[in-house]
Amino acid sequence: MTELDEDGYFGEEIAATYDESSADMFRPEAVEPVVDLLAGLAGDGQALELGIGTGRIALPLSRRGVPVHGIDMSRAMVSRLRAKPGGDAIEVAIGDFATTRVPGTFAVAYLVFNTIMNLTTQDAQVDCFRNAAAHLRPGGCFVIEVMVPDLRRLPPGQNAVPFTVSSARLGFDTYDTATQAMSSHHVRIADGHASYSSAPFRYAWPAELDLMARLAGLRLRDRWEGWQREPFTSESRRHVCVWEKPAE
């Protein structure tokens, strides 16, 4: 398992290659629809990114003229954000995004790329919803992008689902359906040598997330399969949800 330190599971070893290892997620066709939707929700207000990382979404959103603030536990990841053009203009608080508060009131708070699953207990995920709601102005929105648990691909007696198989990389998720715990495992092969890392997560179904939102005083506004508002169906493998803080 990846060594846990004060930066959580995203310490220097992961941060040093994060952008390269997630290169597909940095492509314009992956980033622009996210920024379009978030900028529309932000309007003339501020945005708060929980788990801001190296700034994949925060930086282009800031370039759209949206004031962006962030929360992240990993100093190593945030240092990469700071080194990028415009990174020094984004206020970032170092801490657990489930509980850390920052000054200001926000039109939109958001978590992308399965980051809600980095919180590995139901209590922590509920705290995250409450924290997001506390930062929102009336009428503001909390947005989450997260996978739909891939349990339909598990035959009886199996607990692993592969997501990447190539000559340079092997990746698979393991599930514990009794606890909703899962882990992602990565094997990278270079120059005849293999390296291994893994990190724990907690999966949650859309209905469970909706209940967390209700506990935080939020109500479901929209749910789509992706950032371009594709319909969410029983075959969707991820979803983008928008919960709203009532204006009253």
Side-chain angles (χ1 to χ4, degrees):
M1 180 172 290
T2 301
E3 184 178 353
L4 182 63
D5 59 20
E6 65 177 359
D7 285 340
Y9 290 97
F10 293 87
E12 181 61 33
E13 181 180 356
I14 299 298
T17 60
Y18 181 82
D19 288 11
E20 293 77 9
S21 65
S22 305
D24 286 349
M25 298 300 295
F26 283 80
R27 293 182 302 172
E29 56 266 37
V31 171
E32 289 173 3
V34 185
V35 174
D36 287 343
L37 194 150
L38 294 174
L41 291 174
D44 61 356
Q46 301 184 95
L48 175 65
E49 180 166 1
L50 308 180
I52 195 169
T54 66
R56 181 179 71 93
I57 300 302
L59 287 170
L61 185 58
S62 178
R63 289 194 290 269
R64 291 281 188 95
V66 178
V68 180
H69 297 244
I71 302 173
D72 204 293
M73 180 181 291
S74 174
R75 292 169 175 82
M77 295 285 277
V78 173
S79 70
R80 268 67 186 182
L81 163 65
R82 294 280 185 234
K84 296 176 181 178
D88 56 352
I90 297 177
E91 297 282 344
V92 181
I94 301 297
D96 182 348
F97 61 71
T99 55
T100 299
R101 293 294 305 272
V102 300
T105 303
F106 298 86
V108 62
Y110 62 94
L111 275 164
V112 297
F113 201 14
N114 298 325
T115 303
I116 185 67
M117 299 198 314
N118 291 128
L119 302 173
T120 57
T121 68
Q122 186 182 68
D123 285 345
Q125 291 175 350
V126 170
D127 286 343
C128 178
F129 273 80
R130 288 176 170 151
N131 196 30
H135 283 95
L136 291 175
R137 69 188 186 188
C141 293
F142 184 34
V143 183
I144 286 182
E145 174 196 24
V146 66
M147 63 176 283
V148 176
D150 230 355
L151 302 189
R152 292 172 65 183
R153 298 177 63 195
L154 282 178
Q158 181 175 312
N159 70 339
V161 175
F163 57 82
T164 297
V165 178
S166 72
S167 59
R169 184 182 172 200
L170 303 174
F172 58 96
D173 292 324
T174 54
Y175 290 85
D176 183 339
T177 57
T179 63
Q180 291 179 224
M182 62 175 290
S183 294
S184 286
H185 305 263
H186 304 266
V187 178
R188 294 179 174 85
I189 303 168
D191 300 324
H193 298 280
S195 62
Y196 168 77
S197 64
S198 69
F201 300 99
R202 180 185 187 272
Y203 68 82
W205 299 100
E208 184 183 7
L209 296 174
D210 287 343
L211 185 56
M212 292 180 189
R214 291 184 63 185
L215 291 172
L218 307 174
R219 59 191 179 197
L220 182 65
R221 178 169 136 179
D222 292 294
R223 173 173 283 120
W224 305 294
E225 181 176 288
W227 292 100
Q228 300 189 56
R229 298 178 171 86
E230 306 93 330
F232 179 74
T233 73
S234 59
E235 300 302 317
S236 299
R237 297 183 65 184
R238 65 167 179 162
H239 55 115
V240 174
C241 293
V242 181
W243 296 277
E244 187 174 50
K245 185 173 185 176
E248 63 271 15

